[in-house]
Amino acid sequence: MLLDIRETVRHSRTLKYVIVLVIAVPLVAVFIGSYFAGRPPPAVATVGKTEISPSAVETAVARQRRQLASMFGGEIPEGFASDAMLREQAINGLIDEAVVENTVAAQKFAVGDETLGRAIRAVPAFQTDGRFDPELYEERVRAEGLTMGAFEQRFRSQSALDQFTSGVVSTSFLLPNERARLDALARQQRTIEGLRLDMDAARDAIEVSDDEVQAYFDERADSYQHPDRVKIAYVRLSAEDLASGIDIAEEDAQYYYDDNSANYITPEQREASHILLEADRDNEDEIAEKEAELEAVKARIEAGESFADLAAELSDDVGSASNGGSLGVITPGAMVPEFEAAVYALPGDVGSLSDPVVSDFGVHLIKLDKVVAEKVKPFEDVREDIIAQLRRNEVDSEYQDLHDQLAELAFENPESLEEVSAATGLEVQQTDWIDAENPAEGIVGHPAVLDAALSADVREDGNNSEPIDVDSRDVVVLRVTDSEGPRQKTLDEVRDEVSLALRTERAAEALDAAAADIEAGLLAGDELAVLAEGRTGAELVEALPLSRNSDDFEPSMINAVFSLPKPTEGQGVAAIATLSDDDRVVYRLVDVKVPETAENSAVDDAPTKAAADPQLGVVEFEALVGALRSRADIDISSP
């Protein structure tokens, strides 16, 4: 058929022109559309020929936010993750993905049709009762807005990436001697001794004159400036404020109560006991035998014997037998349907007995122990709850309408908030100067408000901000009414700060000199007490054993201790560590040993042959990505 069409076209000039027009017109339309639409935004980064778009970064940032919110129960703690940090992480993650994808493409990893088909058929989301369902597959794919071909190409690409990743992660292994070596290193214990030099004590011992403070300030005046500051006008939309202005009429509350009366009814509750004789439900003879036994038991109870005593004697339900067969309140859905139906089918008289009831557990004889009649909560008991609910409903509706209107008007009228205020009834409020050091009071003191006010779009271009979430159902739209750049601080404003900086600098120099002197003494074998003499704030560190997870010092110093070479006879090992509080620790390594393991420990049970180690595989894969990234042609645009 295709050959016939080709021959027909070849011999028909009219058809040729028609086909050219059919192809050309859409192409021209696309070209014109793209011309007027403008160029797409520049890439945030490129990896080889792969571009990372701003939308991809925003999607990755949003995904990170959702993951963090999920970790913290729905809301990210304030200050935990800045926009800049999330953006940087997102860009780096996308670059790593692009590096791996380019490597997979260059190495021609491929997934054949048969392998692809098996992988798709194995996806649980495409199965019904454990078997691949073609109709469900097509439905799910189209629900994602994809054609079958596009989905299968994406799945094929992802499978190739998985193949590449698992080729590293799943094939890493440790030899027995490597595992033993790593275990010994993990259990290694190192003993140090030395001196800790206290920064606070060193700083307190230093005095500086006014002239020295002035000179220090003059040399670094550019470092002491007030940050950018702005004055803003803003409107605030708060669900709480809306609620305070909404009154619910008594008749509306009564109408809601009448219309939803079923919500205020506590249904009848029943307590019951039973005697269970276990039986196979599919064995008719056994069921009939147990039914006959329970009929006889029922007769004994009706003749005056105690249900509780007979339950303790005869029931196969060990859990309730010791309690006279009592099961307590039978709530809907708690029991198998046959049992529950039988309980609620009994007459309302306490002590009523059922006929034998068959369930998957066997055959039951049921006794009604108690009936709590249906109760209806009076309107007065639920009046305040109803009013609060109606107020919430009205606030939800009004808040959403105003929020949409606020966002739309602020965007359509970017140079003023007056139109926004006139249409929504929200008051335009003003602030005095605010900056990072002097934030506004109240809700506009939220960090996101100042971030928006200092953004180029709002401060420099003079536009209204987008709605800024400052609390749950509480948003602000703002604009900058005045702004100033950094301003020089006077010495009087920062005298204490400058004095502290100068004393800290000199104290650090003094500590470094003392540390170098002590280190030389330690290497020479001097006694700690001798080295500590005359040193203010020096604290002895005597024969302190450390493991890799010790908390005697911060992790950076522990890592440094375990990075040192072992001391040898005639060759001591010493080092200086600067801690996060600027204290110095000068120490020498006096002993390195591996503690003996207990008998029957996990080390003794370690594999005697090479064994896969996925954890090592993850580490090796991360190292591989780092190596590939170092060789890749990566260009990150300036923000």
Side-chain angles (χ1 to χ4, degrees), residues 7 13 66 86 102 119 153 173 229 247 256 270 326 331 337 345 408 427 445 501 571 617 630 639:
E7 290 303 313
R13 177 176 296 180
R66 287 194 299 272
L86 290 177
N102 290 350
Q153 183 56 47
F173 62 90
R229 64 177 184 172
D247 292 322
Y256 183 90
R270 293 191 169 199
S326 175
T331 56
E408 184 176 345
E427 177 188 0
Q571 182 65 48
S630 68

Side-chain angles (χ1 to χ4, degrees), residues 418-471:
E418 297 306 322
E419 290 84 353
V420 173
S421 176
T424 62
L426 300 172
E427 177 188 0
V428 178
Q429 303 179 64
Q430 308 281 340
T431 71
D432 200 350
W433 290 109
I434 60 173
D435 59 39
E437 295 178 351
N438 301 284
E441 295 183 357
I443 202 71
V444 289
H446 193 284
V449 170
L450 185 59
D451 288 345
L454 294 176
S455 68
D457 182 56
V458 175
R459 181 186 179 188
E460 297 173 14
D461 298 342
N463 293 320
N464 294 331
S465 72
E466 296 180 350
I468 304 163
D469 291 311
V470 292
D471 205 344

Side-chain angles (χ1 to χ4, degrees), residues 73-87:
E75 187 171 346
I76 304 173
E78 185 176 329
F80 180 80
S82 67
D83 289 341
M85 185 187 78
L86 290 177
R87 176 180 170 81

